[in-house]
Amino acid sequence: MSLGNLSTAQQLIKDHSIALTSSLAVLLSVLVFGMGWFSKPTYQPKGKHCYITGGTQGLGKALAESLVKQGAHVTVVARDVKKGERVEAELKALASPGQKVRFISADLIDSHAAEQALIQASEPFGGVAPDYVLMCAGFSRPKFFVEASSQELRDGFDGNYWVSAWTAHTAAKMMVKQRRTGKIVFVSSFLGYASFAGYSTYSPGKYALRGLADALRNEMILHNIDIHIFMPCGILGPGHDAECAEKPALTAKIEEGDTPIQPEECARYLESGLRKGHYQITDNLVCDFVRLRSNAGVPTNNVLLDTFYLLVSTIGVPIWRMTADASVKKFKKSVEADLEAKRFYDAPATTNFK
Amino acid sequence: MSLGNLSTAQQLIKDHSIALTSSLAVLLSVLVFGMGWFSKPTYQPKGKHCYITGGTQGLGKALAESLVKQGAHVTVVARDVKKGERVEAELKALASPGQKVRFISADLIDSHAAEQALIQASEPFGGVAPDYVLMCAGFSRPKFFVEASSQELRDGFDGNYWVSAWTAHTAAKMMVKQRRTGKIVFVSSFLGYASFAGYSTYSPGKYALRGLADALRNEMILHNIDIHIFMPCGILGPGHDAECAEKPALTAKIEEGDTPIQPEECARYLESGLRKGHYQITDNLVCDFVRLRSNAGVPTNNVLLDTFYLLVSTIGVPIWRMTADASVKKFKKSVEADLEAKRFYDAPATTNFK
């Protein structure tokens, strides 16, 4: 570009500064709001068969209600038959005629039971796999590692990882064999990004779900199946109450700034992320900051916002970590006193401690 | 600061520019080389009891040899008795008189066997827990998710997660009960940071190890136990050969730029990271770039270098991801043809496919 051209360009910019500024604002808004104006979301629940694990309480139940209201056919799966039948009745009350709503009781930690539940759920649909598989089952019982029994470690893992992995496995096989597309949605946690004292019973399962989802996100491009993973912070409800009942004081201290949200609000965040087509979906800003420091090799949600979050998280996440480490140091003496009171040090070295 | 002070300061800077430049260079070097000049490394294997799982081949064996040469007492644990006895003899040939070297056969996937192996290993040391517990056991058999059987998914998980988690659990309980310090070192993988097609049998276990290590890194500050996690790329040897024998062509394509290294070199990287006191230890630059996008809430290795890596990874990691996704798209047709040839689509929808 010659100098003459340059001054012509300068003149043009001067003349059209308002038009240019507005164009730039539009471009930025488009980038920030994820180009949602131009692409039709592939998340369209109306008339779809949605299969929801852990669907009788908390996030799963809130999601089931929202999906029924949007005109989806909904199958909820959980263990407790009484609770399940009550929820089924509640959901049916929200449904229009022709909408299929159903509860199936299954212990999804068992691979065979997970398979049978999906087969059973697809029967009213001529054996066709559900369109959306949303896996909300999971539980948290924070405990110190040295005080947890082998059984508690195993239960904490199975109840967060295999409870979803078997369902995802069967669903993926069904969808691919039937040459159907669909969405497989995992629910991990903030504690699937980062972890701290008390969560050795929980984070391994939530990280493992991220490992599975990361592998499948790439692999399932082969079969046009969308993989998503939700990384919520605390969700109020019976699960949260049970978690808090046994939580070590140190763990509660590290989390003291957190504000758990209602399941309905949490479900709205999840659905909003699905509409935007985000791979990793979060439900608050802190979780988004942490996401940017944990997203090796997975798609960005929004180029501009994510760049900003990354800058903040680069400074903010280490500060959070140092605060958490400082809390542990502060609790050193009281934890030791507690272990002494429980005669932990006197027990044989390898006995499971309860 | 007044203007007068400012010009005095300027004069001072002018006069002492060489001294200032050299001071700055020294300061930068100190930051870059991790302040290793001033702090004595806590990794001092001489005379320590090192307990190495998966110690009869690959990384574990290379590490055992290095530690024996450095004057450590070494217990290697693995299943294969014949191989174990051969390795024990080889290690004994490297040891000086008074150094204890021993092989124990155990299937560490079983929590009870993992416990018994540690008890057995500590007997010659008066029942005292090993000082360093280095968990190198693991294996990889990449396979497409829809073609993997439930058993393959479970074996892939157990053989990478529980094989280390049970040992870590017993070791932590022993160390804390005996009020001893020590090091617990997990071995994850690049595939514990990021994952792609073929690794649903492997990444969940390697991510889960990171989840456990992240929780324990913070929690074990309570008990002065150091937690480390090694995130190597490919390691040559029998494990790598077995992995490559069955690897899907798509998986091999995504990895085609990788250059696996010899176990001895890999062990040197691990020990170098332990000497520097790094929490997450890598064995190459690409892995370091990915680490910076996966380290939510864990300590930085080196402030200056890590900031630079973060900048590079912010651009580089998304490019890697897009390349991997493009490879999957390219393989779509050939994978489908392969599944058709295997009559995958004709089999009942939920049968395990072999």
Side-chain angles (χ1 to χ4, degrees):
Chain A
M1 193 184 251
S2 74
L3 277 176
N5 283 344
L6 197 65
S7 45
T8 314
Q10 279 172 337
Q11 193 55 46
L12 270 169
I13 291 169
K14 222 170 167 181
D15 293 350
H16 301 276
S17 61
I18 294 172
L20 277 170
T21 312
S22 2
S23 307
L24 198 67
V26 169
L27 184 69
L28 282 176
S29 314
V30 167
L31 282 169
V32 169
F33 296 105
M35 288 174 279
W37 297 343
F38 304 117
S39 61
K40 199 181 161 191
T42 63
Y43 180 71
Q44 305 271 12
K46 193 178 173 165
K48 298 285 197 312
H49 178 201
C50 301
Y51 183 86
I52 306 169
T53 72
T56 58
Q57 70 176 43
L59 172 65
K61 190 186 169 200
L63 198 58
E65 287 168 352
S66 166
L67 288 166
V68 169
K69 284 181 196 160
Q70 291 172 74
H73 307 293
V74 169
T75 304
V76 291
V77 191
R79 270 175 304 191
D80 189 330
V81 177
K82 270 208 173 152
K83 207 197 273 175
E85 286 170 352
R86 201 173 57 231
V87 171
E88 189 184 69
E90 285 173 35
L91 292 174
K92 278 186 173 159
L94 296 172
S96 309
Q99 252 180 287
K100 291 173 186 149
V101 170
R102 189 181 178 197
F103 163 71
I104 293 173
S105 168
D107 181 3
L108 301 173
I109 288 169
D110 178 70
S111 65
H112 183 71
E115 203 168 278
Q116 291 308 309
L118 254 168
I119 293 178
Q120 205 183 327
S122 51
E123 274 162 10
F125 301 87
V128 164
D131 300 288
Y132 301 165
V133 174
L134 303 129
M135 295 169 291
C136 305
F139 80 104
S140 161
R141 292 289 176 285
K143 196 153 195 178
F144 285 132
F145 191 52
V146 296
E147 294 187 55
S149 69
S150 309
Q151 196 57 46
E152 284 168 329
L153 288 173
R154 191 183 282 284
D155 290 347
F157 187 83
D158 292 351
N160 284 299
Y161 181 71
W162 292 116
V163 74
S164 292
W166 296 134
T167 295
H169 190 220
T170 302
K173 285 192 290 179
M174 286 178 83
M175 288 177 185
V176 173
K177 285 183 184 181
Q178 297 173 352
R179 297 177 188 269
R180 291 181 60 82
T181 64
K183 290 188 191 297
I184 296 179
V185 183
F186 295 93
V187 176
S188 176
S189 161
F190 172 90
L191 287 148
Y193 279 143
S195 191
F196 47 86
Y199 284 113
S200 61
T201 52
Y202 184 71
S203 280
K206 293 300 191 184
Y207 274 66
L209 282 179
R210 194 150 60 86
L212 180 60
D214 284 1
L216 296 183
R217 186 205 61 78
N218 174 262
E219 187 172 316
M220 290 296 140
I221 297 173
L222 285 171
H223 309 294
N224 297 318
I225 294 170
D226 297 333
I227 305 290
H228 301 270
I229 186 162
F230 186 35
M231 313 293 294
C233 287
I235 309 169
L236 294 165
H240 187 257
D241 296 343
E243 174 186 322
C244 290
E246 297 179 37
K247 191 175 280 183
L250 166 57
T251 309
K253 170 74 190 168
I254 294 176
E255 298 177 323
E256 68 182 347
D258 297 359
T259 44
I261 60 174
Q262 292 295 341
E264 293 73 22
E265 193 185 348
C266 193
R268 276 198 294 277
Y269 279 110
L270 171 53
E271 290 200 80
S272 156
L274 291 172
R275 262 189 297 275
K276 289 178 194 155
H278 288 173
Y279 166 60
Q280 288 189 348
I281 300 165
T282 60
D283 68 352
N284 76 30
L285 198 62
V286 170
C287 218
D288 251 336
F289 290 151
V290 173
R291 173 175 62 81
L292 264 292
R293 292 304 294 261
S294 281
N295 68 346
V298 304
T300 302
N301 289 353
N302 179 299
V303 176
L304 279 195
L305 264 186
D306 278 6
T307 306
F308 171 67
Y309 289 170
L310 183 60
L311 290 173
V312 177
S313 67
T314 300
I315 297 160
V317 174
I319 292 173
W320 171 79
R321 196 258 309 163
M322 285 184 272
T323 316
D325 286 1
S327 295
V328 177
K329 283 171 195 154
K330 234 178 269 168
F331 271 67
K332 232 177 144 99
K333 279 194 183 154
S334 75
V335 169
E336 206 168 286
D338 180 56
L339 288 175
E340 262 163 7
K342 290 173 176 168
R343 310 193 63 78
F344 175 85
Y345 297 102
D346 308 330
T350 55
T351 321
N352 277 327
F353 181 78
K354 278 174 197 185
Chain B
M1 193 186 250
S2 73
L3 276 177
N5 282 346
L6 196 66
S7 47
T8 315
Q10 279 173 338
Q11 192 57 44
L12 269 169
I13 292 169
K14 222 171 171 183
D15 293 351
H16 301 277
S17 62
I18 294 173
L20 276 170
T21 311
S22 0
S23 307
L24 197 66
V26 168
L27 184 70
L28 282 176
S29 313
V30 167
L31 282 169
V32 169
F33 295 106
M35 287 174 280
W37 297 343
F38 305 115
S39 61
K40 199 181 160 191
T42 63
Y43 181 71
Q44 304 271 13
K46 195 179 171 163
K48 298 287 196 310
H49 178 202
C50 301
Y51 183 85
I52 305 170
T53 73
T56 59
Q57 69 176 43
L59 173 65
K61 190 186 170 201
L63 198 58
E65 287 168 353
S66 166
L67 288 165
V68 168
K69 284 182 195 160
Q70 290 171 78
H73 306 294
V74 169
T75 305
V76 290
V77 191
R79 271 175 304 192
D80 188 331
V81 177
K82 269 207 172 153
K83 207 197 272 175
E85 286 170 351
R86 201 173 58 232
V87 170
E88 188 185 71
E90 284 174 36
L91 292 174
K92 278 186 173 159
L94 297 172
S96 310
Q99 251 180 286
K100 290 172 186 151
V101 170
R102 190 181 179 196
F103 161 73
I104 292 174
S105 169
D107 181 2
L108 301 173
I109 289 169
D110 177 70
S111 65
H112 183 72
E115 201 169 279
Q116 291 308 309
L118 255 168
I119 294 177
Q120 204 182 329
S122 50
E123 273 161 9
F125 301 87
V128 164
D131 300 287
Y132 301 166
V133 174
L134 303 128
M135 295 169 291
C136 305
F139 80 104
S140 161
R141 292 288 177 285
K143 197 152 193 177
F144 285 132
F145 191 52
V146 295
E147 294 187 55
S149 68
S150 309
Q151 196 56 48
E152 284 167 329
L153 288 173
R154 193 183 280 282
D155 290 348
F157 187 82
D158 292 351
N160 284 299
Y161 181 70
W162 291 116
V163 74
S164 292
W166 296 135
T167 295
H169 191 220
T170 302
K173 285 191 290 179
M174 286 178 83
M175 287 176 184
V176 173
K177 285 182 182 182
Q178 298 172 352
R179 298 178 189 268
R180 290 181 59 83
T181 64
K183 290 186 192 297
I184 296 178
V185 183
F186 295 93
V187 176
S188 176
S189 162
F190 172 90
L191 287 148
Y193 278 143
S195 191
F196 48 85
Y199 285 113
S200 61
T201 52
Y202 184 71
S203 279
K206 293 300 190 182
Y207 274 66
L209 282 179
R210 194 150 59 86
L212 180 61
D214 284 0
L216 296 183
R217 186 204 62 77
N218 174 261
E219 185 172 317
M220 289 297 140
I221 297 173
L222 285 171
H223 309 294
N224 298 318
I225 295 170
D226 296 333
I227 305 290
H228 301 270
I229 186 161
F230 186 35
M231 312 293 294
C233 286
I235 309 169
L236 294 165
H240 187 257
D241 296 343
E243 173 186 322
C244 290
E246 297 178 37
K247 190 175 280 181
L250 166 57
T251 309
K253 170 72 190 169
I254 295 176
E255 297 177 323
E256 69 182 347
D258 297 359
T259 44
I261 60 174
Q262 292 295 339
E264 293 72 23
E265 194 184 347
C266 194
R268 276 198 295 277
Y269 279 109
L270 171 53
E271 290 200 79
S272 157
L274 291 172
R275 261 189 298 274
K276 289 177 194 155
H278 289 173
Y279 165 60
Q280 288 190 347
I281 300 165
T282 60
D283 68 352
N284 77 31
L285 198 60
V286 170
C287 218
D288 251 335
F289 290 151
V290 174
R291 172 175 64 79
L292 264 292
R293 292 303 295 260
S294 282
N295 68 344
V298 304
T300 303
N301 289 353
N302 179 296
V303 176
L304 279 194
L305 266 186
D306 278 5
T307 305
F308 171 67
Y309 289 169
L310 183 60
L311 290 174
V312 176
S313 67
T314 300
I315 297 160
V317 174
I319 293 175
W320 171 78
R321 197 258 309 164
M322 285 185 270
T323 317
D325 286 1
S327 294
V328 177
K329 283 170 195 155
K330 233 180 268 169
F331 271 68
K332 231 176 145 105
K333 279 196 181 151
S334 75
V335 170
E336 207 168 286
D338 180 54
L339 288 175
E340 263 163 7
K342 288 172 175 168
R343 309 194 62 80
F344 175 86
Y345 297 100
D346 309 330
T350 54
T351 322
N352 276 326
F353 182 77
K354 277 176 194 183

